[in-house]
Amino acid sequence: MAGHLAQSLSFSCSVQQWDSDEPIPQSELLAGVAGKDGVLCLLSDRIDKEVLDAAGPTLKVISTLSVGYDHLAISEIKERGIRVGYTPDILTDATAELTVALLLATSRRLPESVEEVKNGGWTTWKPLWMCGYGLSGSTVGIIGLGRIGQAVARRLKPFGVNKFLYTGRHPRPEGAAEFKAEFVPLAKLAEESDFVIVTCSLTPDTQGMCSREFFCKMKKTSVFINTSRGTVVNQDDLYEALVKGHIAAAGLDVTTPEPLPVDHPLLSLKNCVILPHIGSATYATRNAMSALAANNLLAGLKGESMPSELKL
Ligand code: NDP
Ligand code: DGY
């Protein structure tokens, strides 16, 4: 599905498509974008200066099949007057649901427990065997109380969470009111949360934000969950925190790189649950994202307002 390239005619388009689930090779992308009016891309397609130069001055619209746009060279795109379509909102529920699933799988040690059933480790009922951490009475800290962050809080509240903390660039009183969430600095969120959930966007400010300093401030019994982007986390520091017991466990839907090499040290840890970037992966959501991305592209090509245009 990667690298769909469209050339507008008066009321119709000719479409050149990279017809594979595997990423489009850079050489094919550079050759394919030349002279095109629009590009429909995936989050795995890096649309940088080289690609924009290869496309040339005809390129008017980029439509990405994602809400995250850290793979797009936004300042270059803005400079060239290119419009950008993306897919916010329609994937919020699916991603929040997956975040909760990952949190429960990590904190209640589900993959490890399933493995024990299969490998004969389940010998009898033992009082402290496979114990984990529950949400009831807990403090949950959310980094980035945006669309997905709020949807996660909404789903966690009925589990009996005692207190929500959040951090970001600014307080968001409207979004926080429903959960009586308190805006705190990052360090306080790390120190006080039993569960830390990362749902922010990847920016130069958030890159590497969860580092050794951050993990050392967390409680030894706390659980770290990331469904935003892999590079918000310093993975070497996370590995150290998990091995040294600075934190109890981590659940990641996003990593650096993607896919994570199968011999990566994080994959050797029982207290780290890693998923292959499936936050928005329900059939309904991916279909809705595809339709929205196509409609964004077509509207942009026609010079009309897009259903979801990124404000640059
Ligand atoms: P929103 O724009 O609604 O939320 C982004 C949040 O990031 C805002 O709350 C913003 O906080 C926060 N943020 C920005 N800068 C900082 C900072 N310096 N420190 C802390 N927080 C910051 O986006 P969505 O909720 O729709 O999506 C969030 C991200 O989730 C996407 O960008 C994408 O990377 C990821 N995602 C992952 C999926 C997956 O499959 N795992 C699926 C969908 C999205 P502020 O209020 O301060 O601006
Ligand atoms: C996004 O949309 O940014 C996700 O990472 C995939 O849905």
Side-chain angles (χ1 to χ4, degrees), residues 210-212 214-215 218 223-226 230 233-252 254-255 264 266 269 271-274:
C210 300
S211 62
R212 177 177 293 121
F214 178 85
F215 294 122
M218 284 175 65
V223 173
F224 177 82
I225 303 296
N226 182 17
V233 176
N234 180 318
Q235 283 177 183
D236 292 341
D237 293 353
L238 174 63
Y239 177 79
E240 184 186 276
L242 288 166
V243 168
K244 290 190 173 167
H246 293 315
I247 67 173
L252 313 174
V254 285
T255 60
H264 193 282
L266 280 174
L269 302 180
N271 57 347
C272 189
V273 177
I274 302 188

Side-chain angles (χ1 to χ4, degrees), residues 99 102-109 132-135 139-141 189-190 193-198 214-215 218-226 238 242 246-252 271 273:
T99 305
L102 177 58
L103 184 150
L104 293 172
T106 306
S107 61
R108 296 299 305 272
R109 303 170 64 178
Y133 298 93
L135 282 156
T139 296
V140 170
L189 183 140
S193 301
D194 299 301
F195 297 88
V196 170
I197 305 172
V198 187
F214 178 85
F215 294 122
M218 284 175 65
K219 300 180 191 179
K220 288 187 169 22
T221 51
S222 59
V223 173
F224 177 82
I225 303 296
N226 182 17
L238 174 63
L242 288 166
H246 293 315
I247 67 173
L252 313 174
N271 57 347
V273 177

